[in-house]
Structure formats: C-alpha cells, structure tokens
Amino acid sequence: QGRSFLCSPNHARLPTTTLLENMAAIAATKKEWTACLSKSNGAPGKCEKLEKELSSMSKAAGVECCVGETVNLMRCTASGARANGCGAEFVAMRECNRAGGKELVKELNCGYAVAPGKVGLFGCSAAALVSETPPIRSLQGMTSFGEEYAQSFGIALGEVRF
C-alpha cells in the first residue's frame, strides 16, 4: 500500500521505494560496512560484499558514500606506499567527506584546483597554492620548502618571527 510500481527493461513490475526509504537503507548498509571495516584489521577485502552493495545502492540513488576513497586509503596505509604518506588518498578522503561537497579537485598534473562553484570560499591566492605539488618527503625537501615559503612572506633565511 502506498507504493508505486515501475516497469524494468524486462517489463516485470517492481516496487519502488521512496527517497526516505532509500536513504535509510543506504545509511544502514554504510553503518554495517563501517562496522565490518573496523573489525577487518585493515583488510577492506573482507567486507567486499557489503562494499559492492553500498556502492551499487549509493550510485543508484546518486549519493556519495566515499566507498572508493575509503578503500584506497585503507589499502595505501596497509601497504609499503604508507612510507610516502598516502597524501593523495588522505586528500581524496577529506574532500569526499565534506558536507558541502568537494572544495578541491585533482588535476592531471598531480596538483589540485579549486572545485567549480567553490571559488568564493577561498582567498584570491588559493588557486596558486592548491596547484602546487607537495614537497618531497625528505628532510632536505621539507627544509627547502620551508625556506621558500618563509621567503614568500619576506622572512630571511635564518630569521625567526613570532
């Protein structure tokens, strides 16, 4: 009662659920998947059935549940790539989980750009900052970056300001 019916491509009549019921089902599946992941000892493959179900449900409803980003971050932090910091995976996960949608998007040249429609959230120099690539993960790389960054504020090498 109260349900509408749609014809699928094979003309079978299937009940459709309301948007609210879809969202509740997605939320329940995501909660179950998250609980599974927390018990998986960093192996997201143990929860593959729930992962596929959640991906399918969220795609059909046009809802972003950050499934791919979650799995990519877990795989990175559990592998040898962890030594490189998993920076791209962390940024992807952070951006995916923003309540207002992604503010930064990855560009082909390994940098980032301000997402369409989000320019008003940033100052005029944001585009230049996000388009930079991160410093090399070494003491020399970080030191060089810090020195260049300080100089951009007019702080001379060796000078300290508080």
Side-chain angles (χ1 to χ4, degrees):
Q1 237 183 14
R3 292 179 186 245
S4 62
F5 288 86
L6 294 175
C7 291
S8 69
N10 66 4
H11 303 291
R13 293 174 60 83
L14 301 173
T16 60
T17 56
T18 65
L19 178 62
L20 188 57
E21 289 170 329
N22 281 340
M23 293 301 129
I26 290 169
T29 304
K30 183 168 185 180
K31 183 176 181 179
E32 190 177 352
W33 181 59
T34 302
C36 180
L37 290 175
S38 70
K39 297 174 188 171
S40 73
N41 292 323
K46 292 181 179 179
C47 307
E48 189 173 4
K49 181 181 176 213
L50 286 168
E51 175 190 329
K52 288 180 179 180
E53 182 180 350
L54 180 59
S55 291
S56 174
M57 292 171 76
S58 62
K59 184 177 181 180
V63 175
E64 179 60 73
C65 289
C66 305
V67 174
E69 291 82 355
T70 302
V71 171
N72 289 342
L73 181 57
M74 288 183 75
R75 286 189 178 137
C76 182
T77 57
S79 71
R82 181 180 185 170
N84 295 325
C86 300
E89 291 81 2
F90 275 103
V91 171
M93 186 71 175
R94 180 194 67 204
E95 291 303 313
C96 185
N97 279 294
R98 288 189 187 273
K102 295 178 181 180
E103 294 177 3
L104 302 176
V105 292
K106 188 144 179 68
E107 289 191 320
L108 296 176
N109 67 355
C110 299
Y112 291 88
V114 176
K118 303 292 182 169
V119 175
L121 298 174
F122 297 93
C124 59
S125 63
L129 291 174
V130 299
S131 65
E132 294 291 324
T133 56
I136 298 168
R137 269 183 81 94
S138 68
L139 178 57
Q140 182 58 44
M142 298 300 240
T143 302
S144 296
F145 174 81
E147 290 170 354
E148 289 175 25
Y149 191 61
Q151 288 176 351
S152 74
F153 289 105
I155 301 172
L157 187 61
E159 183 180 357
V160 177
R161 291 190 190 173
F162 290 98

